[in-house]
Amino acid sequence: MSGDERTSAPAPAFVGMPAFPEAARKAVGDTTLRANLRHATRTIRDKRARAVAELDDWAALREAGKRIKDETLRHLDAHLLRLEEAVTAAGGTVHWAQDAAEANRIVTDLVRATGEREVVKVKSMATQEIGLNEHLEAEGIAAYETDLAELIVQLGEDRPSHILVPAIHRNRGEIRDIFRERMGSWGRPAPEGLSDAPAELAEAARLHLREKFLRAKVGISGANFMVAETGTLVVVESEGNGRMCLTLPETLISVVGIEKVVPTWRDLEVFLQTLPRSSTAERMNPYTSTWTGTTSGDGPDAFHLVLLDNGRTTALADEVGRQALRCIRCSACLNVCPVYERAGGHAYGSVYPGPIGAILTPQLRGTASGVDASLPYASSLCGACYEVCPVAIDIPEVLVHLRGKVADRGGHRLERAAVKASAWVLDHPGVLAAGERLASRTRALHPRRAPGPGVRRWTESRDLPEMPAEPFRDWWRKNRT
């Protein structure tokens, strides 16, 4: 089945979302949302710029990351088999999942086999992509998010809106209200008199989560990287909740996209320099956790790695679009994008918002739905996303490429019809000349704004150019011949 034919959405929470233009129109009218996004994205991108400027060899690191990713993707099958062999030799078990349904089934069966009915989770884009929490809930298994921002999203029955900071659309007052109203129904309630002071909010989350860490027998994670030569998985984070989830449970299940593999530890060195600076504007992550299989008396007794495809091999087959698979989920492109800053993450209808989501989601899910077909157009093509990407993904190039695919499938029919009509007119000079003269002679009757609801949305803030008194060809004939 081709990518354009797939119609199932990886994340059930986003089913029924409107196409991007409709969702964005609603979002830009939310003044609180826009204020939250503007403050957060500008703060993050300014800090990132300073952190990156500290490295004289940033351009070389960026190019190295690009080449490592491209070389790995060219030989992805070999690296994945090497990874499987190393994980198995270290005492882990590898499972292959072709799509979201298969991955959810594998994880559910593994949890059931332990006899447990609750799990703690490290922040994971892959498990959000497949809708794992919703699937586990339907199967009677409670999944508790332990990342602070993910906890806010979960307690608020919300959706993530940013790759790095899922609750970026919430301010401190909103978070305080969510903790006060919802924490008690999920476990330990918020302290009495909780204010919106960051220290108090963090302490409330710590107390709430601590009992879950100490009780849970099963942990679920993703991974930022997988090192093929040793079968080692790597998670980088800033709060320490990941370290708790990766070490305390008796069983650890990691769901990871197949593109996250790197061949060697030397390759990993590059990304451990570029990822923290591009994401959190830190020189290094406060917590970098690595694990290789199982070790008696140290960490989980059982480790399962679920390697997730879910459209990635379809993207890999596209010579232009495959560069999206280089992404290391730093979110730098979101923080510089003028469209994301105004529309927010929810408008994209996917767990992958912003510029990277606009090129990744349509490749993973196909462009059969209105939401996915609209995403390649959710951009001004300003190129800021490419300039900050630590692995040099040319997002504007992929956006234009995907727009062509949408148009080839029959999307944007009015645009196609207009282009076709224009091509015919340009092929017939006599018709073009007659049309120009008619337009000039009737210019006093021309409206300042183009009529029609489809066109008016484009011209509502733009006046039509004034028609000259005569066509250029007639002027040239009078004055230059």
mmCIF file of all heavy atoms in Angstrom, residues 8-23:
data_model
loop_
_atom_site.group_PDB
_atom_site.id
_atom_site.type_symbol
_atom_site.label_atom_id
_atom_site.label_comp_id
_atom_site.label_asym_id
_atom_site.label_seq_id
_atom_site.Cartn_x
_atom_site.Cartn_y
_atom_site.Cartn_z
ATOM 1 N N SER A 8 -5.439 5.576 7.775
ATOM 2 C CA SER A 8 -5.535 5.478 9.235
ATOM 3 C C SER A 8 -4.585 6.456 9.890
ATOM 4 O O SER A 8 -3.447 6.615 9.478
ATOM 5 C CB SER A 8 -5.199 4.050 9.695
ATOM 6 O OG SER A 8 -3.898 3.715 9.305
ATOM 7 N N ALA A 9 -5.069 7.141 10.927
ATOM 8 C CA ALA A 9 -4.243 8.107 11.644
ATOM 9 C C ALA A 9 -3.526 7.423 12.790
ATOM 10 O O ALA A 9 -4.127 6.675 13.538
ATOM 11 C CB ALA A 9 -5.116 9.243 12.190
ATOM 12 N N PRO A 10 -2.206 7.638 12.963
ATOM 13 C CA PRO A 10 -1.468 6.979 14.021
ATOM 14 C C PRO A 10 -1.941 7.342 15.422
ATOM 15 O O PRO A 10 -1.828 6.545 16.324
ATOM 16 C CB PRO A 10 -0.029 7.470 13.789
ATOM 17 C CG PRO A 10 0.006 7.920 12.375
ATOM 18 C CD PRO A 10 -1.348 8.442 12.089
ATOM 19 N N ALA A 11 -2.424 8.539 15.618
ATOM 20 C CA ALA A 11 -2.794 8.969 16.964
ATOM 21 C C ALA A 11 -4.301 9.176 17.047
ATOM 22 O O ALA A 11 -4.828 10.135 16.503
ATOM 23 C CB ALA A 11 -2.071 10.264 17.318
ATOM 24 N N PRO A 12 -5.041 8.277 17.697
ATOM 25 C CA PRO A 12 -6.490 8.390 17.750
ATOM 26 C C PRO A 12 -6.979 9.719 18.291
ATOM 27 O O PRO A 12 -8.043 10.190 17.922
ATOM 28 C CB PRO A 12 -6.883 7.232 18.677
ATOM 29 C CG PRO A 12 -5.772 6.247 18.558
ATOM 30 C CD PRO A 12 -4.535 7.067 18.368
ATOM 31 N N ALA A 13 -6.220 10.359 19.183
ATOM 32 C CA ALA A 13 -6.669 11.617 19.780
ATOM 33 C C ALA A 13 -6.855 12.707 18.743
ATOM 34 O O ALA A 13 -7.521 13.694 18.991
ATOM 35 C CB ALA A 13 -5.673 12.081 20.843
ATOM 36 N N PHE A 14 -6.252 12.525 17.563
ATOM 37 C CA PHE A 14 -6.318 13.569 16.565
ATOM 38 C C PHE A 14 -7.329 13.271 15.457
ATOM 39 O O PHE A 14 -7.467 14.043 14.515
ATOM 40 C CB PHE A 14 -4.931 13.777 15.939
ATOM 41 C CG PHE A 14 -3.958 14.413 16.888
ATOM 42 C CD1 PHE A 14 -3.295 13.644 17.829
ATOM 43 C CD2 PHE A 14 -3.711 15.766 16.863
ATOM 44 C CE1 PHE A 14 -2.405 14.220 18.720
ATOM 45 C CE2 PHE A 14 -2.810 16.349 17.739
ATOM 46 C CZ PHE A 14 -2.168 15.574 18.667
ATOM 47 N N VAL A 15 -8.040 12.150 15.533
ATOM 48 C CA VAL A 15 -9.049 11.837 14.537
ATOM 49 C C VAL A 15 -10.134 12.903 14.564
ATOM 50 O O VAL A 15 -10.588 13.329 15.619
ATOM 51 C CB VAL A 15 -9.650 10.439 14.790
ATOM 52 C CG1 VAL A 15 -10.874 10.228 13.917
ATOM 53 C CG2 VAL A 15 -8.616 9.364 14.512
ATOM 54 N N GLY A 16 -10.579 13.342 13.399
ATOM 55 C CA GLY A 16 -11.628 14.347 13.331
ATOM 56 C C GLY A 16 -11.114 15.772 13.325
ATOM 57 O O GLY A 16 -11.904 16.719 13.286
ATOM 58 N N MET A 17 -9.777 15.961 13.363
ATOM 59 C CA MET A 17 -9.225 17.312 13.308
ATOM 60 C C MET A 17 -9.530 17.942 11.956
ATOM 61 O O MET A 17 -9.506 17.269 10.928
ATOM 62 C CB MET A 17 -7.716 17.274 13.510
ATOM 63 C CG MET A 17 -7.275 17.097 14.939
ATOM 64 S SD MET A 17 -7.524 18.581 15.936
ATOM 65 C CE MET A 17 -6.397 19.731 15.163
ATOM 66 N N PRO A 18 -9.824 19.240 11.925
ATOM 67 C CA PRO A 18 -10.027 19.912 10.648
ATOM 68 C C PRO A 18 -8.704 20.101 9.922
ATOM 69 O O PRO A 18 -7.635 19.949 10.506
ATOM 70 C CB PRO A 18 -10.621 21.264 11.063
ATOM 71 C CG PRO A 18 -10.070 21.499 12.425
ATOM 72 C CD PRO A 18 -9.992 20.135 13.072
ATOM 73 N N ALA A 19 -8.760 20.435 8.627
ATOM 74 C CA ALA A 19 -7.550 20.738 7.873
ATOM 75 C C ALA A 19 -6.862 21.949 8.471
ATOM 76 O O ALA A 19 -7.481 22.760 9.168
ATOM 77 C CB ALA A 19 -7.905 20.990 6.406
ATOM 78 N N PHE A 20 -5.563 22.079 8.194
ATOM 79 C CA PHE A 20 -4.756 23.094 8.848
ATOM 80 C C PHE A 20 -5.319 24.505 8.725
ATOM 81 O O PHE A 20 -5.366 25.229 9.726
ATOM 82 C CB PHE A 20 -3.321 23.053 8.308
ATOM 83 C CG PHE A 20 -2.420 24.057 8.971
ATOM 84 C CD1 PHE A 20 -1.791 23.764 10.163
ATOM 85 C CD2 PHE A 20 -2.222 25.317 8.413
ATOM 86 C CE1 PHE A 20 -0.982 24.689 10.794
ATOM 87 C CE2 PHE A 20 -1.409 26.251 9.035
ATOM 88 C CZ PHE A 20 -0.787 25.936 10.229
ATOM 89 N N PRO A 21 -5.742 24.958 7.545
ATOM 90 C CA PRO A 21 -6.224 26.351 7.468
ATOM 91 C C PRO A 21 -7.380 26.638 8.420
ATOM 92 O O PRO A 21 -7.418 27.700 9.057
ATOM 93 C CB PRO A 21 -6.667 26.482 6.002
ATOM 94 C CG PRO A 21 -5.848 25.472 5.273
ATOM 95 C CD PRO A 21 -5.731 24.318 6.221
ATOM 96 N N GLU A 22 -8.306 25.708 8.541
ATOM 97 C CA GLU A 22 -9.447 25.916 9.439
ATOM 98 C C GLU A 22 -9.003 25.920 10.899
ATOM 99 O O GLU A 22 -9.408 26.777 11.690
ATOM 100 C CB GLU A 22 -10.491 24.833 9.203
ATOM 101 C CG GLU A 22 -11.736 24.980 10.064
ATOM 102 C CD GLU A 22 -12.743 23.876 9.827
ATOM 103 O OE1 GLU A 22 -12.610 23.152 8.813
ATOM 104 O OE2 GLU A 22 -13.655 23.724 10.661
ATOM 105 N N ALA A 23 -8.158 24.947 11.273
ATOM 106 C CA ALA A 23 -7.684 24.876 12.660
ATOM 107 C C ALA A 23 -6.822 26.082 13.008
ATOM 108 O O ALA A 23 -6.892 26.630 14.112
ATOM 109 C CB ALA A 23 -6.892 23.584 12.867
#
